[in-house]
Each structure stands twice: as C-alpha cells, then as structure tokens.
Amino acid sequence: MAAKKTKTNRPPLTLHVPEPKFRPGDTVDYSDLDIPAAGAQARPDTNAAPDQMRDLAYDMIRVLDDDHQAVGPWDPKLDDDTLLKMLRTMAQVRAFDDRLHRQQRQGKTSFYMKCTGEEATSVAAAMALHSDDMCFPSYRQQGILFVRGYPMTEMVNQIFSNKADKLKGRQLPIMYSSRELNFFTVSGNLTTQYPQAVGWAMASAVKGDSRIAAAWCGEGSTAEGDFHAAMTFAAVYNAPVILNVVNNQWAISSFSGFAGAERTTFAARGVGYGIAALRVDGNDPLAVFAATQWAAERARTNQGPTIIEHFTYRAEAHSTSDDPTAYRSAQEREEWPLGDPIMRLKRHLIHRGVWSGEQQERLDQQCLDAVKAAVTEAAKNGILGHGLHQPFETMFQDVFEEMPWHLKEQAAQANREREIKWPS
C-alpha cells in the first residue's frame, strides 16, 4: 500500500508546552501581573444569578489597600477582637509549621508540609464558617484545626506517629482527622475530597439539615477528573458547598500553567458550570473572610455552590521532599506583589490603633513557646524510630466491625513470624 502523501501547503502541527516565566537564577518581574485596586470590586447580593457576576471570576476581590485600611463593599467590618484572634491564629500556625519542619530535619518524623504565606486561606476561611460546617481539606489547611481548637499536642502525636496518635500511625504525617471538629481526613490523593464534599453537602440537603460543606484543593488538582465530577454534581443538584481552589502558583515542581493558568483564571471554571465564582486575593485575610462569608450565606439560603480561587503564593517548598531551588527563582518569594497575610493583617491592626510591633514580638514568642511545649509533651509518647509506637496487632484492626476469618489468619501468621525473627 502506498504511503499517504502529506499536504505540503499546510503548516505542520505543533504543541504548546507551558513554561514558567522564571527559572533558577532569573530576575523576577511581576509588573505584568494585573493587581486591581482594593475595594474596586462590586459585591453582588448572595442570591444573584451566576451569569450576573461573571466579572468576579476574572477580577480579584481585595479589601486591604496599600495604606493598610479596609476599604470597599467587601469589607466584612470585623471587630478588633475577631481580627486579633485571626492574627494570633495565623501566627500560631506559622510558628507550628516552622518548629515541626525542624523536627523533620532532626529525624523525629518522616515528612512535613508547611503552609507559609497561605495561612489566610484556611484560618480566615474557617473563621467565616460555622463550627459545625463540614470541612474537606487538602494538605495545607491545618489552620482550620487551629481555628476550631484542636490541641497542638494531638497534632504532633499524629506527626510523630507515636503511641498516642489517634490515627494509629496509619496516615502520613500531617494528614489529620477530627470527627469531633467536623474536619474530614486529609487525603494524599489529589482532589478526592471534592466529590466527597459535594456528596456530603447533598446529603445534608436531603436530610433537611442546616450545615454546609467546604472543600479545598490546590490549583494543580483542578486538572484531576474528580474536580470536574464534583463541579458537575454541585451545579446540577445545587449543592450547599464552597469549593476553594488555593492557587499558590506551583505544584510540587510544575507551575500553574500545566493546570491551565495561561488561558484563564481558575475561578473561571465555575462560569462554564453555571456556578457562582469569585477570585480573591488569597494573602488578604479580610478578603478571604468576606468571600467565604458570602459563599456560606449563599449556600445556607439554597442559592447554590460557589467556587473561590484564592490567588496566593507558596512561599516555601512543596514539602520536606521537595527542593524549590531546582525549578524556580529564589527571588519569587521576595518579589511577590501581594505580600504576606500575617504582615498585612498586623499592619492593618497597627493602623487601627489596637496593635503594635512590640505586641507582635511578644505574640511570636508566646506562639513559639506553646509549640515547644506541645512538641515536648508529644515526644513523651515517642518519635520516629524510637519505639513507643502502636501495638503490632492494630495493623489488622478497625477496617471491619468484626474481624473476618482471613484477617485473623493473617494476623496470627504475622505474629508467628515476629516471634521467630524477634524472640524477645
């Protein structure tokens, strides 16, 4: 058979491979990034139709301006005590991250992930929700647990996978779970929590309950099929759910362009599904609070789901298994134009006359002392590689209400082999 002739009058097809603007050693210039003025975004009614707010999927909701004032219709007008609680909580999260990262470097645990620079996307958001709303986090939302009062010692027990770990050493460190605080188990599989959150929200509506659900994922995870399945169900069934996308610009080593950021915003994905969509300055705690509060009210009044893109930046490594100097410029963090959420809220409170630099220094020390105490207490229950772990037989427990025969046989065999290898 003769080979098929190519049509030479047409140009050859080519593929576009996304490439980040800056690589290690490059000079960083964010001047082309469109950062709208704070307070310039209209705030629609919570019952507005999604097609009436398309612009908010492409704009960026901001409240704190360059003079550290809260301005515009999205200002949630929070009182001083609430703002101070928000600041203290974010500071405590950062101190915890820094200390536990050091514990991993000292070999006391196998893994850790920090949320440095992204604290507002969990702390401010959780403060805008009700305590009985169900949260389906990704692996940088430890701030939710801090807002809801989960003991730091219990978090460290889980990180150390020691004998007091309530998850019995079965989860990777930092993948917490708390039924009591309505914090769904963190999953290492990307975006599994999205359809779970939508399903939970649908069940809440079917039961006639008043609780809503909120889920978080990274921008890279929006390329997963689970993301789109969740969006479809949320749109079709008008699920009372908030779907947060934390766009921190980078997956573990690939930039957001591989998930579609070169074409449009991540909030714009809601437009195609007919879902209310907001794009928010993720380093502005007041904007994050206001957007979450708006979306929560929309869900509670049966107006449907909302997708919120938090435009932020991953200031440090993806995890302790990552080296960002291998793929991005060291200047990116310094040049990021939206600043740091803790610093911005601190300056706002100083501007309000209820805070000072000296008080911030004392707070940082108090937060560090609290983390040190939690780590010391948890270490009494054991650290990685130093014994005091869960009993061996727990490996076979808790999957079934009553252990089936085949697991009983496997457990007995495993115990026999242990006795042979380690008679003591």
Side-chain angles (χ1 to χ4, degrees), residues 41-108:
Q41 300 74 38
R43 186 182 186 279
D45 291 337
T46 54
N47 62 357
D51 60 1
Q52 295 177 8
M53 59 182 85
R54 283 184 86 256
D55 290 349
L56 290 176
Y58 304 94
D59 204 334
M60 189 185 300
I61 296 169
R62 305 182 69 220
V63 173
L64 292 175
D65 66 12
D66 294 338
D67 296 321
H68 320 305
Q69 299 185 72
V71 297
W74 283 94
D75 177 9
K77 301 190 183 303
L78 300 176
D79 58 52
D80 293 340
D81 289 343
T82 301
L83 290 173
L84 287 168
K85 177 184 177 182
M86 189 181 293
L87 178 68
R88 292 189 183 104
T89 306
M90 290 197 296
Q92 188 67 79
V93 172
R94 184 164 297 183
F96 185 86
D97 273 358
D98 289 343
R99 195 71 183 178
L100 270 296
H101 182 271
R102 184 180 301 179
Q103 301 301 297
Q104 192 277 337
R105 293 306 193 220
Q106 294 173 357
K108 296 178 182 178

Side-chain angles (χ1 to χ4, degrees), residues 39-326:
Q41 300 74 38
R43 186 182 186 279
D45 291 337
T46 54
N47 62 357
D51 60 1
Q52 295 177 8
M53 59 182 85
R54 283 184 86 256
D55 290 349
L56 290 176
Y58 304 94
D59 204 334
M60 189 185 300
I61 296 169
R62 305 182 69 220
V63 173
L64 292 175
D65 66 12
D66 294 338
D67 296 321
H68 320 305
Q69 299 185 72
V71 297
W74 283 94
D75 177 9
K77 301 190 183 303
L78 300 176
D79 58 52
D80 293 340
D81 289 343
T82 301
L83 290 173
L84 287 168
K85 177 184 177 182
M86 189 181 293
L87 178 68
R88 292 189 183 104
T89 306
M90 290 197 296
Q92 188 67 79
V93 172
R94 184 164 297 183
F96 185 86
D97 273 358
D98 289 343
R99 195 71 183 178
L100 270 296
H101 182 271
R102 184 180 301 179
Q103 301 301 297
Q104 192 277 337
R105 293 306 193 220
Q106 294 173 357
K108 296 178 182 178
T109 184
S110 60
F111 182 79
Y112 196 75
M113 297 183 79
K114 302 174 76 172
C115 65
T116 306
E118 302 175 42
E119 291 89 353
T121 65
S122 59
V123 172
M127 289 183 65
L129 298 170
H130 293 175
S131 61
D132 60 354
D133 290 334
M134 192 67 185
C135 292
F136 292 79
S138 184
Y139 37 60
R140 272 185 237 282
Q141 277 71 57
Q142 53 265 52
I144 299 170
L145 289 175
F146 281 82
V147 169
R148 295 188 171 182
Y150 195 71
M152 281 191 290
T153 301
E154 296 293 352
M155 297 176 72
V156 182
N157 284 332
Q158 195 279 328
I159 292 165
F160 286 169
S161 300
N162 60 30
K163 69 176 184 179
D165 175 12
K166 291 184 176 180
L167 302 184
K168 301 184 179 181
R170 295 168 178 163
Q171 277 280 72
L172 191 70
I174 64 85
M175 294 188 179
Y176 315 104
S177 177
S178 177
R179 181 191 296 268
E180 298 76 19
L181 297 180
N182 304 297
F183 184 92
F184 197 80
T185 309
V186 178
S187 170
N189 297 320
L190 300 179
T191 333
T192 56
Q193 67 273 21
Y194 252 56
Q196 292 163 348
V198 173
W200 191 96
M202 290 169 60
S204 183
V206 168
K207 292 188 297 184
D209 202 346
S210 60
R211 298 190 295 163
I212 66 172
W216 286 257
C217 76
E219 87 287 341
S221 298
T222 63
E224 295 284 333
D226 280 353
F227 173 86
H228 297 279
M231 294 285 282
T232 299
F233 273 80
V236 170
Y237 293 100
N238 213 42
V241 64
I242 303 171
L243 300 168
N244 296 281
V245 176
V246 182
N247 177 9
N248 64 14
Q249 316 304 313
W250 288 94
I252 188 166
S253 60
S254 59
F255 85 116
S256 57
F258 281 99
E262 292 181 332
R263 305 293 182 180
T264 187
T265 68
F266 291 99
R269 300 194 176 185
V271 175
Y273 284 98
I275 291 175
L278 307 176
R279 186 166 177 256
V280 179
D281 178 350
N283 287 19
D284 181 342
L286 272 66
V288 171
F289 184 99
T292 306
Q293 185 182 53
W294 184 92
E297 178 65 17
R298 186 176 179 86
R300 289 188 214 288
T301 54
N302 293 310
Q303 305 302 319
T306 303
I307 182 170
I308 303 176
E309 176 189 348
H310 303 269
F311 195 75
T312 180
Y313 183 76
R314 171 163 63 75
E316 297 198 15
H318 179 269
S319 70
T320 50
S321 303
D322 176 41
D323 177 13
T325 63

Side-chain angles (χ1 to χ4, degrees), residues 336-379:
W336 182 245
L338 295 178
D340 178 90
I342 295 176
M343 186 67 69
R344 289 175 67 181
L345 184 55
K346 181 193 79 171
R347 289 170 175 167
H348 174 61
L349 287 165
I350 291 174
H351 180 271
R352 288 172 71 130
V354 297
W355 199 242
S356 68
E358 293 76 16
Q359 286 175 300
Q360 184 68 42
E361 289 180 7
R362 289 196 295 271
L363 171 61
D364 290 339
Q365 186 60 51
Q366 291 167 2
C367 290
L368 176 58
D369 292 343
V371 177
K372 286 182 178 179
V375 170
T376 299
E377 186 64 25

Side-chain angles (χ1 to χ4, degrees), residues 11-26:
L13 296 174
T14 61
L15 284 178
H16 168 67
V17 179
E19 178 67 23
K21 295 178 181 178
F22 317 114
R23 285 296 190 183
D26 289 347

